[in-house]
Amino acid sequence: MQAADLLAELAAGAPRSGVELAARAGVTRAAVWKQIEALRTRGVPIEAGGARGYRLPWPLQLLDAARIRAALPPAVANRLGALEVHWELDSTSSELQRRGAAAPDLAMLLAETQSAGRGRRARHWLSPPGLNLYLSCVKRFDTGFAALSGLSLAIGVIVLRALAALDVAGAGLKWPNDVLAAAAGQAPGKLAGSLVELSGEYQGPCAAVIGIGLNLRLTDALRAQAGQPACDLATLAGGTPPDRNRAAAALIAALAEGLGQFEREGFAAFADEYARHDLLRDRALRLSGADGERDGIGAGVDGRGALLLRLPGGEVQRVDSADVTVRRT
């Protein structure tokens, strides 16, 4: 019995005995227990109820490419270069990069789990099976790197558009690529993050591989492992997150439409939406980087997507280095 098969058996949330699971798979109870422990190690909260067997604390939906495609508007489904769902990849973005030119425009890859998911500045992205969304897509441009300023910020707006389509509100944007949200009375935590990696020519054809991680459901143990405040859609939706296939379809649709808009109009088409959801504007900030620390007040972003920081003397400084860490003080 493989971990994927076991999770499918438990997905409904009903108790399943080790004897029953072993008999269905034609393996020993020890083999079942081994996969139970493997899933627990990856963050899946499988409970043991004695004679009642194993169960999840709530049902979950495994990703299904056919269901995701059926939930897409036909115009979007017809434009996708590919739509694939994998049980496990090291990283959905790494897989697209390995494919290089063979990956068609608007190819979408999802994985139930990642062994080496990553975020900005090579930070590890927790990727427990079956709980959240890990998606990457490739978008090809003819205009070169110079025309892609602000793409990371536009991706944040696109994620918020997907959440709106799911009737989920309460999230905002933290420059350059984080989506934050909070339960009532709590500090904002990371709900989603994105990573944009470019290849190609500075003034010619190029490609952007865009990776997005979106938290649908986090356990207390996963929040502790995150090492920073975190939030999930279950919190924002009153305890039950949207169906994962529906959430994946909303994100894919928003990406397909939004990336086309960015290709035609650039960051200017997203600037007003970004400003409405900017969590750093008019906030006291501390920026840390290779050149030390700076304190100031967030003054929004410019037309290229650079962060604007008003220094104590009144001067406004433009910051566009992805190697800078920004914290509210």
Side-chain angles (χ1 to χ4, degrees):
M1 171 174 276
Q2 299 299 312
D5 302 320
L6 177 58
L7 192 60
E9 292 285 351
L10 298 174
R16 302 292 299 278
S17 74
V19 173
E20 177 188 5
L21 292 170
R24 283 181 59 84
V27 299
T28 65
R29 291 182 63 186
V32 171
W33 179 85
K34 182 178 179 180
Q35 293 299 345
I36 290 284
E37 289 302 301
L39 287 171
R40 284 173 172 165
T41 298
R42 287 173 171 247
V44 182
I46 300 174
E47 301 172 348
R52 297 181 62 208
Y54 302 106
R55 67 183 296 273
L56 292 170
W58 15 250
L60 60 80
Q61 303 84 34
L62 296 178
L63 296 174
D64 183 288
R67 291 182 181 180
I68 294 170
R69 186 175 286 277
L72 292 170
V76 170
N78 292 336
R79 283 162 48 199
L80 298 186
L83 174 56
E84 300 177 12
V85 172
H86 299 260
W87 164 252
E88 180 177 4
L89 294 170
D90 56 347
S91 158
T92 53
S93 289
S94 294
E95 175 62 19
L96 280 177
Q97 289 174 332
R98 284 190 290 267
R99 297 184 186 187
D105 188 45
L106 289 183
M108 305 277 176
L109 265 63
L110 299 99
E112 286 286 359
T113 184
Q114 300 179 117
S115 60
R118 64 188 190 277
R120 192 168 71 98
R121 303 179 71 182
R123 293 189 178 99
H124 179 63
W125 187 273
L126 294 173
S127 306
L131 303 185
N132 305 312
L133 288 180
Y134 323 112
L135 176 150
S136 292
C137 73
V138 61
K139 179 71 183 88
R140 302 194 177 280
F141 298 91
D142 295 326
T143 48
F145 297 166
L148 302 188
S149 296
L151 178 57
S152 290
L153 281 68
I155 297 302
V157 172
I158 287 170
V159 173
L160 292 189
R161 291 175 178 177
L163 297 183
L166 295 168
D167 297 319
V168 174
L173 300 171
K174 177 181 178 288
W175 186 92
N177 64 344
D178 287 346
V179 179
L180 305 185
Q186 296 183 4
K190 193 164 183 175
L191 176 68
S194 64
L195 180 65
V196 177
E197 298 171 291
L198 304 178
S199 62
E201 303 294 331
Y202 184 77
Q203 293 184 322
C206 65
V209 171
I210 301 155
I212 298 174
L214 174 61
N215 296 329
L216 271 71
R217 196 188 284 276
L218 296 174
T219 64
D220 291 342
L222 289 169
R223 292 175 191 272
Q225 289 181 51
Q228 61 178 310
C231 191
D232 59 15
L233 292 189
T235 298
L236 300 180
T240 302
D243 177 277
R244 287 177 76 229
N245 289 299
R246 178 173 168 244
L251 184 55
I252 289 170
L255 277 167
E257 296 290 349
L259 289 171
Q261 185 181 18
F262 187 91
E263 185 176 29
R264 296 187 302 270
E265 305 173 52
F267 179 63
F270 299 82
D272 288 346
E273 282 178 85
Y274 190 93
R276 288 198 298 272
H277 299 285
D278 186 354
L279 296 175
L280 301 186
R281 191 179 186 96
D282 299 325
R283 299 281 187 165
L285 306 177
R286 174 163 294 168
L287 276 61
S288 304
D291 56 351
E293 294 186 342
R294 287 164 285 175
D295 292 335
I297 303 297
V301 300
D302 69 7
R304 296 185 299 107
L307 176 68
L308 300 178
L309 182 71
R310 183 172 292 107
L311 300 177
E315 175 191 357
V316 175
Q317 191 172 76
R318 186 174 286 103
V319 181
D320 54 13
S321 172
D323 293 327
V324 171
T325 297
V326 182
R327 292 185 174 87
R328 297 200 296 188
T329 61

